[in-house]
Amino acid sequence: MNKFWLLLGLSFVIGTTCAWTMNYMEYGHREAYFGEITMDGSVTADNVMAKLKEYHSDSAARAELEGKPIYNFGAMSPGSKGSHKFVVKNVGNGVLRLELGASTCKCTLGSLVNNQLAPGESTSVELEWTISSDKTTFEQSAELRTNDPLRPAIRLVVQGLVISDIEFDPKQITFGEVLAAEPFEFSTKLYNYYDTDIVPQSAKFGSEELTELSEVEFEPFEVSEADGSHQNARQGFLVKVNVKPGLRQGPLVTNLQVSFKKVESSEDATTDAATDELSEDTFVALAECAGRVMGPLTILESSAMKSTDNGGYIWTLGRLDADDDLEKKCLVALKGSEKDSTNLTIGETYPSDVVEAEFGKPIGRGQTRLFPLVLKLKAGEELIDLLGKNKDDFGWLWIESDNPKVSRMKVAIKVLIEPRP
């Protein structure tokens, strides 16, 4: 009996404690909010009440920010400095008190012209920043504190892009799919953010073949608001690349390397005339360049058809039974200026007792002629393994052309055909 009353009392104490704790956490707990109390020693026990009264009152002052609290400076280079003035107006009936709070970064500083505004008065808040980050974007802010009970703090933000001294747009030049036998061109824009002019000297590519076949021109243009984030650049150049026919087929990934010199101004002490001279140093700016060089003959790719770097294709058909449909179809596309004067035929096949193919009547479609190709496979008495365990294990066929300007194309065939029962 004594144990029963002991357990009952213990349960009562534990239950009461838990209930009080839950009630306190739900209704009795309040986070302290002292607003302007800081840790820098400016607020002490002697002035804390005056400070709270100053910034948390029933003031009739009303703070209004002219314009948006976010300023986008466009683009700036690392290490450069910028500034912007925000304007605050007192649209209330009491005295508006202002104070700058902390910024999100030491690279951003603020200054306040007037910290007390009578009704109707305005003042400017200037933010100054230094681009010290190597990231591609910049965003920092500072807080402006007020005694407006409806707007005790205003967050002022500066943001923009971080760019190098030389920027390309687009940075990654993609010329897509081009024909090896046809000339093509592409372009990009080069923007100069140096504090002096530059003069482009020459351009080349990481690919010697592309360099030999290319002619590069630089056309200067006036930078304007139409250039978007680059409107603050000092100079702009349109870089035009014209490529002659003759590139090898396959993917092409390389760099465009533009060499340039700076224009340096020197002042003659006797004539006080400024002369511009090219610096002796040559600088290089890089842009990525990528695309794919195709032959005039291509196959409309599917999950079973993949192109190779040398301009051919691999047709993967997998494992087939002897009683499966052994006829497979695809479309061979002929592009370029020679498409209407070229006929295609099936050349040598391997193994010839397994692989046969023929073309159907060509179909005209815009800038392309399509040739339906029918592949006919034959099952035998034994297993036919052409799955390509090594380079000699493929089947293949050649697509021939009667035009010397259109090269022949090889199609490898990966297949395993079960023997006839």
Side-chain angles (χ1 to χ4, degrees):
M1 180 64 70
N2 291 335
K3 290 183 178 180
F4 169 77
W5 289 110
L6 180 61
L7 290 173
L8 182 63
L10 184 60
S11 300
F12 175 79
V13 172
I14 293 173
T16 303
T17 302
C18 291
W20 182 89
T21 302
M22 293 175 63
N23 182 72
Y24 176 78
M25 295 297 295
E26 185 71 19
Y27 302 106
H29 177 67
R30 292 291 185 274
E31 293 184 1
Y33 180 73
F34 291 100
E36 301 307 318
I37 293 182
T38 65
M39 301 297 293
D40 60 4
S42 60
V43 179
T44 65
D46 295 330
N47 65 9
V48 61
M49 296 308 298
K51 191 73 173 178
L52 288 175
K53 183 177 180 181
E54 178 182 351
Y55 285 94
H56 297 274
S57 65
D58 295 329
S59 170
R62 295 292 181 265
E64 180 180 86
L65 187 67
E66 295 183 4
K68 297 181 179 180
I70 299 177
Y71 172 69
N72 191 311
F73 55 73
M76 296 178 66
S77 59
S80 59
K81 298 181 179 181
S83 64
H84 178 72
K85 291 182 178 180
F86 297 89
V87 177
V88 180
K89 184 177 182 179
N90 182 4
V91 295
N93 296 321
V95 175
L96 178 65
R97 295 183 177 87
L98 304 173
E99 182 179 285
L100 277 173
S103 62
T104 53
C105 176
K106 293 181 179 179
C107 61
T108 305
L109 302 173
S111 59
L112 185 61
V113 175
N114 188 2
N115 63 355
Q116 291 194 33
L117 300 179
E121 285 186 342
S122 299
T123 190
S124 62
V125 183
E126 184 173 17
L127 291 191
E128 298 179 343
W129 62 90
T130 301
I131 305 296
S132 58
S133 172
D134 57 357
K135 297 181 180 179
T136 56
T137 59
F138 179 92
E139 179 173 308
Q140 299 297 337
S141 64
E143 186 180 77
L144 178 66
R145 300 163 181 171
T146 82
N147 66 330
D148 179 351
L150 302 180
R151 200 174 188 180
I154 302 173
R155 183 171 178 261
L156 305 175
V157 180
V158 291
Q159 60 182 207
L161 299 177
V162 182
I163 47 83
S164 302
D165 291 321
I166 296 293
E167 284 283 329
F168 288 92
D169 189 7
K171 292 183 179 180
Q172 296 179 326
I173 308 167
T174 303
F175 55 78
E177 293 185 350
V178 296
L179 295 178
E182 302 283 342
F184 67 95
E185 63 181 37
F186 59 90
S187 65
T188 185
K189 290 182 178 180
L190 182 152
Y191 293 93
N192 171 27
Y193 284 89
Y194 281 106
D195 55 3
T196 184
D197 288 350
I198 66 168
V199 177
Q201 299 292 296
S202 62
K204 65 178 182 178
F205 295 90
S207 164
E208 293 184 3
E209 183 184 35
L210 183 58
T211 299
E212 292 176 359
L213 295 173
S214 298
E215 294 180 356
V216 183
E217 299 176 3
F218 301 98
E219 296 182 0
F221 63 87
E222 291 292 331
V223 180
S224 65
E225 292 183 0
D227 293 284
S229 60
H230 293 292
Q231 61 182 301
N232 294 323
R234 183 184 183 93
Q235 287 175 288
F237 297 89
L238 177 63
V239 185
K240 297 175 63 176
V241 182
N242 294 283
V243 185
K244 301 174 184 177
L247 287 174
R248 286 176 293 180
Q249 296 181 38
L252 179 59
V253 179
T254 185
N255 285 327
L256 168 62
Q257 306 171 20
V258 175
S259 300
F260 63 93
K261 291 187 176 183
K262 296 181 182 179
V263 177
E264 296 181 344
S265 296
S266 59
E267 192 171 305
D268 190 326
T270 59
T271 61
D272 292 331
T275 59
D276 292 333
E277 297 179 352
L278 290 179
S279 65
E280 296 182 358
D281 296 328
T282 300
F283 302 87
V284 176
L286 300 177
E288 296 180 9
C289 185
R292 187 177 185 86
V293 182
M294 310 290 291
L297 283 178
T298 57
I299 296 180
L300 302 186
E301 296 187 32
S302 64
S303 59
M305 191 78 68
K306 297 297 181 183
S307 60
T308 63
D309 290 346
N310 61 4
Y313 285 85
I314 298 177
W315 200 349
T316 303
L317 300 174
R319 192 184 192 102
L320 300 175
D321 291 329
D323 56 354
D324 286 340
D325 183 3
L326 299 182
E327 280 196 3
K328 305 298 178 181
K329 299 178 180 180
C330 69
L331 287 173
V332 179
L334 177 58
K335 304 177 182 179
S337 58
E338 303 294 325
K339 67 181 179 64
D340 294 325
S341 59
T342 303
N343 294 308
L344 302 180
T345 57
I346 301 297
E348 185 181 2
T349 64
Y350 173 83
S352 57
D353 59 340
V354 176
V355 178
E356 291 184 3
E358 63 181 16
F359 278 115
K361 185 178 180 180
I363 306 167
R365 192 182 74 174
Q367 300 298 317
T368 305
R369 285 181 75 197
L370 299 178
F371 291 78
L373 185 151
V374 180
L375 174 67
K376 300 178 180 180
L377 301 173
K378 297 180 182 179
E381 300 295 332
E382 298 180 354
L383 180 71
I384 300 171
D385 187 352
L386 300 172
L387 288 178
K389 295 181 178 66
N390 59 61
K391 65 179 182 178
D392 298 322
D393 287 341
F394 291 103
W396 43 259
L397 63 87
W398 279 98
I399 297 175
E400 304 285 351
S401 159
D402 64 356
N403 188 334
K405 295 182 179 180
V406 178
S407 301
R408 65 202 299 245
M409 183 172 69
K410 186 177 183 180
V411 181
I413 301 166
K414 293 178 64 174
V415 66
L416 185 145
I417 306 176
E418 298 284 356
R420 287 195 296 264

